[in-house]
Amino acid sequence: MFGYTVEEVGNIMVMQGFSGLSLFSVLLLMALGLAIIFGQMGVINMAHGEFMTVGAYTTVFLSKLAVEYDIVKSYFVFAIIAAFIIAFVLGYLIEYMMIRHLYKRPLDTLLATWGLSLVMQQVFRSTFGAKEVSAELPEWLLGSFQPTEGIDIPINGVFVMALALIVTVSVYLYMFRSRGGLRVRATMQNRVMAGAVGINTKQVDRVTFALGCGIAGVAGAAFTTIASTGPTTGSLYIVDSFMVVVFGGAASLMGTIASAFGIAQAQSILQFFMTSSMGKVATLMTIVIILMMRPEGLFAAKVRK
Amino acid sequence: MNALSEKLLGGKQGAIHLAILAVLLLVILPLCLDLFRLGLVGKYVTYAFVAISLVLLWGNGGVLSLGQGMFFGLGGYCMAMFLKLEASDPISTKIQTTPGIPDFMDWNQIVALPWFWEPFKSLPLTLLLVLGVPVLLAFIIGMAMFTRRVGGVYFSIITQAIALILSILIVGQQGYTGGVNGITDLKTLSGWDIRTDSAKYWLYFVNASLLILCIMLSRFILTSKFGMLLLAMRDKEERVRFSGYDVASFKIFIFCVAAMISAVGGAMFTLQIGFMSPSFVGIVPSIEMVIFAAVGGRMSLIGAVYGTLLVNFGKTMFSETYPELWLFLMGGLFIAVVMFFPEGLAGLYEKYAPYFSITSLHTRWLKKVQKVSGESQ
């Protein structure tokens, strides 16, 4: 097969599979935020990638501070929390100023948030410069370990995966096992009825949107461990993460996880055997064709509309 | 005959507006601007084709395609492939390892012309493909999506993904498409040098006339019964479906028409500017073209043309002097148009124009005179 021995192919599969897992983690974190905003509220947030970049820049900024105060070992946990909070607050403000006026016009939301993403990109460029910057990573995140000869597994990948796992579980618990999540789901299923039983639906909208943005911020913090950050970093992932959400079935958490996994794995394994661009083309093309045949996505929500 | 002209021009009001646009594009601008600036206008006019197609598709049909750049690009590429083959005849490419094939193929160690380049050796076939390829793609996408009742934001996202696929494909397959540089060094169209000044003037006039024709064609579609159905589908799709109309085939039709109009723009772009590159195919140009239509007014064919011209003039002006400011402005424009002026320039015009029309100014003046004379008595 392509001139490799069976053992080599096996090792390549494992290693590419693992690098696919890092991509999967970032995509999943991005898509979780989007799935909440798009799946629950029906709002297309084209600036979602920029909220991720906000998280990434927050981490980079904090890492520079951490180097000055010599706390590189432990700052990362705080960076994740800070990234979440800053993206959350920003999302909250954006919802209040912009999104809430556009709920009845989903296509227009798409254009307005695209405009927002352009403005945010320029803000990043003016503040942090056009060059890509990377965070100072604590030592325990660097390096890799070798379970067997020929297989290298980077630690930052494992860390990002663990983070994605934690966030996913928290999102699940919040959405399906807490009062807050109950309010969100009630509002999205029947806004008028939810209002009638005493839920402040406008407040719910705002918090839901902000939460989605906050998770994108965490995705940004995770992103800094595997790559460097530039002003347009977020926009590179926006189409992919939308594909993840749509492919998985907009309102389904399981679907989002499954499709993030499928897309990330397909992309990273195909990119090894074909050229990088053809791997991406093949993956996207497959998704589009599947979506054309099955528009409701992999896991369709069984809700009557 | 009378009814036909009524439909093509859109009544007296529409005819006046169309005539003003035609005079502006065909007489005033060519007289006022030097050839360089006129070339820029010509470039913007090719974008206006896309803006018009979006007025049909998005403003009237309620279907927002974020992949119109892909049809623009396909039309442009088909034209460019013909011109490139003509520019790479065996004599002028004799220094290559394989003479007679485009230079970028030679650089990429390709020794024979790929099969899909073959049809572009003939001009009639090329002209057919300029329209045919984008329409076919639109038909396939439309068939797959609209018959399964995919609409709204899903359609937008999927068209965007397809535009992304196409642009990655073009950039990635450098040997067959010219890669990120696109197809450059185009020289002649059937022996006619397109780089001379007179050719540039000719192409500008052909381009502007085609735009006027496309506006008339779109008017014809919109004022027909089909146009009414289109509006009805945008506002209450279910009702149209329950009234017994086949919503999907109407949508496919308008999507194909929109693709065709965009493709004409793309082909004219190639002829006037002399190259085609993947930077017109991907996500960013496609969504920028939506803002042209939105600024002009998503419901107004003529407004969309003005919107395109204005936004692009602004872009050229600002990105020459303050490139940083431009992205802020562009982003702000997206937000402002959507939030405060959803009807765009055409909406503003319709709201305030009656106030400034001669008859209304006259009546207000009369009233003022009467009031003054009443007070003096």
Side-chain angles (χ1 to χ4, degrees):
Chain A
M1 196 168 145
F2 303 106
Y4 299 101
T5 65
V6 176
E7 197 189 343
E8 273 173 340
V9 169
N11 286 346
I12 288 166
M13 290 296 247
V14 171
M15 265 156 46
Q16 282 304 114
F18 199 83
S19 89
L21 282 180
S22 316
L23 180 65
F24 157 65
S25 312
V26 173
L27 269 187
L28 178 61
L29 283 170
M30 279 282 281
L32 274 179
L34 265 187
I36 292 175
I37 295 174
F38 177 54
Q40 301 293 331
M41 311 170 76
V43 169
I44 296 278
N45 182 16
M46 293 300 274
H48 199 74
E50 275 59 45
F51 283 97
M52 170 181 134
T53 318
V54 166
Y57 273 121
T58 308
T59 314
V60 171
F61 181 72
L62 285 181
S63 84
K64 303 279 184 256
L65 278 187
V67 171
E68 255 175 54
Y69 294 99
D70 205 24
I71 44 167
V72 181
K73 265 187 184 161
S74 55
Y75 86 94
F76 205 78
V77 182
F78 299 107
I80 292 170
I81 298 170
F84 178 82
I85 292 174
I86 289 178
F88 184 93
V89 171
L90 206 60
Y92 195 91
L93 289 176
I94 296 290
E95 203 280 346
Y96 183 73
M97 291 193 294
M98 211 165 100
I99 311 288
R100 72 188 172 117
H101 303 289
L102 299 170
Y103 281 124
K104 295 224 170 71
R105 298 185 279 154
L107 293 180
D108 286 5
T109 323
L110 195 158
L111 294 179
T113 47
W114 176 267
L116 178 70
S117 81
L118 290 184
V119 172
M120 283 170 85
Q121 279 175 25
Q122 190 54 48
V123 172
F124 299 144
R125 202 169 286 130
S126 313
T127 340
F128 300 98
K131 260 196 276 177
E132 296 204 336
V133 288
S134 45
E136 305 290 331
L137 292 178
E139 249 170 60
W140 50 269
L141 267 177
L142 301 173
S144 59
F145 63 90
Q146 289 183 306
T148 61
E149 187 80 19
I151 295 184
D152 249 343
I153 289 184
I155 293 174
N156 55 7
V158 180
F159 174 79
V160 174
M161 242 172 63
L163 186 65
L165 198 71
I166 294 169
V167 174
T168 312
V169 172
S170 327
V171 167
Y172 173 79
L173 290 178
Y174 176 76
M175 291 299 285
F176 297 98
R177 292 284 179 273
S178 78
R179 296 296 287 184
L182 192 63
R183 276 189 217 111
V184 174
R185 283 180 295 140
T187 309
M188 301 321 153
Q189 275 182 16
N190 192 330
R191 184 170 293 272
V192 181
M193 201 60 210
V197 295
I199 296 173
N200 183 350
T201 55
K202 286 188 174 159
Q203 181 73 23
V204 167
D205 285 339
R206 215 157 293 155
V207 172
T208 314
F209 188 84
L211 191 69
C213 295
I215 295 172
V218 177
F223 183 79
T224 55
T225 63
I226 52 177
S228 51
T229 313
T232 52
T233 299
S235 60
L236 297 179
Y237 282 84
I238 188 72
V239 174
D240 282 6
S241 18
F242 266 116
M243 289 325 263
V244 167
V245 175
V246 176
F247 186 52
S252 151
L253 193 63
M254 249 334 272
T256 307
I257 298 170
S259 77
F261 183 78
I263 290 176
Q265 287 302 332
Q267 203 157 316
S268 105
I269 291 176
L270 284 178
Q271 281 186 346
F272 187 84
F273 289 111
M274 304 181 190
T275 58
S276 148
S277 65
M278 286 315 282
K280 181 136 190 165
V281 166
T283 323
L284 282 175
M285 199 93 104
T286 317
I287 302 167
V288 167
I289 289 170
I290 293 178
L291 275 178
M292 282 180 168
M293 292 190 288
R294 202 183 145 77
E296 67 275 25
L298 287 180
F299 295 72
K302 291 186 185 64
V303 182
R304 287 185 197 187
K305 289 200 171 155
Chain B
M1 186 60 219
N2 222 344
L4 184 67
S5 72
E6 185 85 351
K7 277 190 171 169
L8 286 175
L9 301 172
K12 189 183 160 202
Q13 201 73 20
I16 293 173
H17 292 158
L18 191 64
I20 293 175
L21 180 70
V23 169
L24 180 74
L25 285 180
L26 293 172
V27 182
I28 299 179
L29 288 178
L31 286 179
C32 296
L33 299 175
D34 58 84
L35 190 60
F36 173 70
R37 293 274 159 192
L38 195 67
L40 285 181
V41 175
K43 187 162 90 177
Y44 307 155
V45 169
T46 62
Y47 300 152
F49 284 89
V50 185
I52 290 176
S53 81
L54 280 164
V55 170
L56 285 178
L57 191 63
W58 174 44
N60 289 278
V63 179
L64 176 57
S65 156
L66 291 183
Q68 284 309 98
M70 136 181 108
F71 303 124
F72 181 86
L74 279 177
Y77 264 100
C78 286
M79 200 73 226
M81 281 157 90
F82 174 76
L83 295 176
K84 187 70 194 173
L85 281 185
E86 205 178 286
S88 356
D89 57 291
I91 300 156
S92 50
T93 53
K94 61 177 180 291
I95 50 162
Q96 289 176 184
T97 333
T98 322
I101 62 171
D103 46 10
F104 56 82
M105 288 187 188
D106 195 58
W107 301 332
N108 286 283
Q109 282 89 40
I110 287 172
V111 289
L113 201 63
W115 59 268
F116 60 88
W117 275 73
E118 290 292 340
F120 296 99
K121 282 179 174 166
S122 110
L123 181 63
L125 213 53
T126 303
L127 292 180
L128 204 68
L129 286 171
V130 162
L131 301 177
V133 172
V135 169
L136 185 70
L137 181 63
F139 182 75
I140 294 171
I141 298 174
M143 261 315 251
M145 314 268 291
F146 294 132
T147 49
R148 288 192 173 74
R149 301 189 186 175
V150 177
V153 288
Y154 282 91
F155 183 79
S156 307
I157 293 176
I158 291 181
T159 46
Q160 189 175 42
I162 298 175
L164 180 67
I165 294 175
L166 194 65
S167 68
I168 299 177
L169 202 61
I170 292 175
V171 173
Q173 294 299 314
Q174 201 173 6
Y176 299 110
T177 60
V180 77
N181 298 322
I183 301 183
T184 52
D185 286 330
L186 306 176
K187 296 188 178 85
T188 52
L189 175 72
S190 287
W192 180 52
D193 197 331
I194 57 169
R195 291 162 302 172
T196 59
D197 284 359
S198 75
K200 283 194 169 153
Y201 271 113
W202 270 107
L203 285 170
Y204 173 82
F205 284 115
V206 171
N207 185 18
S209 316
L210 275 176
L211 183 76
I212 306 283
L213 275 180
C214 280
I215 293 178
M216 281 159 74
L217 173 76
S218 312
R219 260 284 158 60
F220 180 70
I221 292 174
L222 290 182
T223 45
S224 65
K225 190 179 169 199
F226 176 77
M228 301 295 280
L229 274 171
L230 208 59
L231 273 182
M233 278 176 347
R234 183 193 69 182
D235 294 335
K236 285 274 182 292
E237 188 177 330
E238 292 298 317
R239 280 192 202 174
V240 180
R241 185 174 288 131
F242 294 154
S243 311
Y245 291 103
D246 184 3
V247 171
S249 55
F250 287 127
K251 283 191 175 174
I252 294 171
F253 176 75
I254 198 70
F255 191 41
C256 289
V257 171
M260 197 174 78
I261 294 178
S262 307
V264 173
M268 286 316 293
F269 179 93
T270 304
L271 283 175
Q272 282 193 94
I273 314 300
F275 78 99
M276 191 70 216
S277 88
S279 60
F280 300 99
V281 178
I283 294 176
V284 177
S286 298
I287 203 164
E288 269 185 13
M289 287 163 182
V290 175
I291 204 65
F292 301 159
V295 168
R298 64 185 75 169
M299 295 293 295
S300 160
L301 293 166
I302 291 178
V305 178
Y306 288 118
T308 314
L309 293 181
L310 271 180
V311 174
N312 280 294
F313 269 123
K315 185 173 184 168
T316 313
M317 231 165 64
F318 276 100
S319 47
E320 272 168 11
T321 37
Y322 310 100
E324 290 209 339
L325 213 62
W326 171 245
L327 265 186
F328 278 125
L329 261 169
M330 185 83 174
L333 200 63
F334 268 96
I335 299 172
V337 163
V338 164
M339 293 191 65
F340 307 114
F341 317 104
E343 300 299 318
L345 288 176
L348 288 180
Y349 173 77
E350 267 167 33
K351 199 168 162 192
Y352 293 107
Y355 191 76
F356 290 108
S357 75
I358 295 175
T359 37
S360 95
L361 284 178
H362 184 65
T363 30
R364 261 182 291 144
W365 181 73
L366 276 184
K367 266 188 195 158
K368 210 173 179 182
V369 170
Q370 274 169 2
K371 204 175 159 193
V372 170
S373 61
E375 274 167 6
S376 66
Q377 278 173 2

